Amino acid sequence: MAKGYWLATGRINDPRGFMVYAAAAEAYLQKCGAKMFIRDAHTDVREGNPGHLTVLIEFPTVEAAKAAYEAPEYQDMIRLRTPNSEACFSILEEGDKLAR
């Protein structure tokens, strides 16, 4: 089965407030069996304007990634994140999907 990923890019507007979300999300993601691949607040952006925050998290399957996002526990955490940051958030499935 293909792995799933959360990919988030954006900017942190209030670092103190954002860290409350980050701590809660880190504990939650461990319970979900997710693996943090990248968490960088100083991304070297060469093209576009996605902000300087990049996060990439791996899940055992894309279904697990979707379920973790849709869970009420995580939906509550989104309320901690949104006042303190701006983000573009995607759920991806491993593999080359452009060829489909």
Side-chain angles (χ1 to χ4, degrees), residues 6-97:
W6 285 6
L7 173 64
T9 59
R11 71 184 75 256
I12 298 171
N13 299 324
D14 179 355
R16 180 177 284 150
F18 185 82
M19 292 312 292
V20 173
Y21 159 78
E26 186 173 348
Y28 172 70
L29 292 167
Q30 286 178 358
K31 291 190 322 187
C32 294
K35 178 181 177 184
M36 183 76 63
F37 269 3
I38 298 168
R39 185 167 57 177
D40 185 353
H42 304 286
T43 303
D44 182 1
V45 178
R46 299 294 173 111
E47 294 186 33
N49 190 23
H52 292 285
L53 173 67
T54 302
V55 179
L56 179 63
I57 301 166
E58 181 184 78
F59 290 82
T61 65
V62 71
E63 291 80 11
K66 290 176 182 179
Y69 182 84
E70 294 165 1
E73 185 176 355
Y74 187 71
Q75 291 300 303
D76 287 343
M77 282 181 234
I78 291 173
R79 292 182 192 92
L80 297 174
R81 179 178 42 114
T82 54
N84 301 300
S85 65
E86 300 167 36
C88 179
F89 195 104
S90 302
I91 296 177
L92 310 165
E93 184 177 33
E94 170 182 48
D96 182 357
K97 307 300 182 206

